[in-house]
Amino acid sequence: MTEKWVQVALDVPLSRSFAYGSGGLPVQPGERVLVPFGARRLSGIVLSVDADAGDYAGKTRAILAAPGDMPALPEDVLRLCRFVADYYHHPLGAVLAAAIPVVFRGTGIFVPPQPEARFQAADPVALLAGIGPRAHAQQKVAQLLAAPVSESALRAAHASALRWVRDWQAAGLVQQLAGIEAPAPALQLGTQPELNAEQGRAVAAIAAAEGFEPFLLYGITGSGKTEVYLQAIARQLEAGRQVLVLVPEINLTPQLEGRFRARFPASDIVSLHSGMTDRQRAINWLAAASGRAAIVLGTRLAVFTPMPCLGLLVIDEEHDPSYKQQEGVRYSARDVAVYRARQRGIPVVLGSATPSIESWQNAMARRYTLLPLHQRAVKGAGLPSIRLLPVKKIRASEGLHPLAQEAIERALAAGQQALVFINRRGYAPVLACTECGWMASCKHCAARLVLHLNERRLRCHHCGFEEAITPSCPDCGNHDLQPIGHGTQRLEDIVARQFAGARVLRIDRDSTRRKGELDAALKQVHDGDADILIGTQMLAKGHDFPRLSCVVVLNADTGLYSMDFRAEERLFALLTQVAGRAGRHGQGGEVLIQTMFEDHPFYTQLLDGDYARLANRLLAERQQLRLPPVSQWAMLRAEAPQLERVQAFLSAARACFPVLRGLTVHEPVAASMTRRAGHERMQLLIASDSRTVLHQALDTAVPLIDALPVSQIRWSLDVDPLEV
Ligand code: ADP
Ligand code: ZN
Ligand code: ZN
């Protein structure tokens, strides 16, 4: 028996692979194996197998088992994971562990379920004829049965579908087919609307792509982006290929899944997201990896799914920050997806009403093909009207403007609902003058200073500059300086008092902490058991509230003068989404934004619905200030119980970077949340206009930083950070 030499990647905090003897097992790259590691057993992924162990035989331990419960990761997924490990400077073993379903990360062996039963009508016409005209749900299920349908597809179509099918089977109307090995059913298409000219051009361009081509599908809410995806996907399915569709976590709603299933009733559609059980996720992943699933609808973790016949990648709401993993391997699923498309030589569609400035820059530089959709797809569907309500003083912005009050009263009188939306994104307290609107800003940066009330200091989280709180406004002399955006907690009381008799419902992270609370609250809204909703960004996306006709936005301004340079693009995306909640059914709704800065170009562009102009202005600013995506960033973050340790560690880490032309390694500064869970937090920004230079520096520095003494220090590297 020839003993082979096997390199295995393990999920341990070491950036190297481990060598084992093959133990006579015929293993191959990508396969999952169980190995001894110290006194433990671990699960790992085979990276390579050498023909002959030669001298090594007997000098190392052998792998214990090759369970074979997970198909070997194909070469392209292994390469993708290698790229992610290199680019994000993270151990390959950890990347591979993150890329596979949880059930394959441990030493347990996954036993897949029996092949699913499939059903088909013996005679579709007879089956339909026997169902009452009002039994719509049963009719829908019966229609599906014209072609073979799996148990899970039936269950997804209706909660009682399986029971009906069993009844029909007993009556001889439906027959059970062989298991999953049955040949893939022919493609069926649900009714699809006639595309408008711009949509038609978009679908044609995507279909005509030869090899790798990234598209930026830029269209306002309701302009028919999803319809473009569906028709582009149909072309792929016709050609027998698979499609991967990524969506932000909160957007993966049953409605969206339903829309896909209705369009492709006979196709195997699986979803992959963190809300499902580990077991279900493994089953769906296996369906994708076997090539059986035609469409994978998933959140960021789905980007690594093996798909042998992958023909197209779609990234919906590509600007959404939830595509960025914020712990462990800090990858951007959007960027990884684009890389994967390049590697596979296939088209990728990035869709958004408010594209990220990164993607916008790529479109402007013609690296991405811009596909614009300018109109609402449904004729006559109005956009909500947006109005600004100028409030002169900061204090006033914490309550409701009289016109906002009137608008809410009007909505309630008409039996509709109103939403008071409080922007909390990117919130960091900024000191402002209640008279003239002056705000404390950094002498050295384009950033606002952040108020640290406990120490009574103002700090720049960008360059580290700090000063004591000024006693009066340097512009007008007013002594009443206030943290802007404070006191939102009081709003619920204020509103409840102003609208006595109205049912006020607050929906935010605090009110929905426990499982089921959010669903219960949303149901209350749907059932019309609430009149005024008070909510944060949790309510902005995905949800469809038929009775909501009026939205009042408070605290929008905090997004304009945030120390986060991405705050403006995010605010635009957020307000676009919030505005999209109002008046989705029937007449366009009313959106009122209370602001102290009604002349700010941001609001002009928002009222005009002109994201392109905003994006171009932001891009020019980034150019001028050398901010991403013009400059390439990496952030080294560290935390420890004592500040001195963090400082010492980051100073030592800073010294690990080589001196390179075009590379800037900044001084350590306080993180925007300076203390969390008893840990002092600081960060170090590494920047270069050249991605090559940045990565060259990281290649040198990261192994040295890895070797630094780190008692009580927790640190992480974030390449292309989204939070600064
Ligand atoms: P988006 O994804 O850009 O928000 P959707 O694709 O969801 O837009 O389309 C919005 C609405 O318009 C949906 O109800 C959709 O069915 C409808 N729609 C899309 N394209 C067309 C079209 N070409 N003709 C008629 N209705 C359309
Ligand atoms: Zn002032
Ligand atoms: Zn500064």
Side-chain angles (χ1 to χ4, degrees), residues 331-345:
Y331 65 94
S332 153
R334 177 196 62 211
D335 297 347
V336 173
V338 173
Y339 183 83
R340 186 169 185 186
R342 175 193 299 274
Q343 178 196 297
R344 291 283 299 238

Side-chain angles (χ1 to χ4, degrees), residues 193-196 199 219-227 259 377-378:
E194 195 78 30
L195 297 178
N196 65 34
Q199 286 177 311
I220 57 170
T221 319
S223 60
K225 294 184 293 297
T226 311
E227 189 56 47
R259 201 166 158 192
V378 175

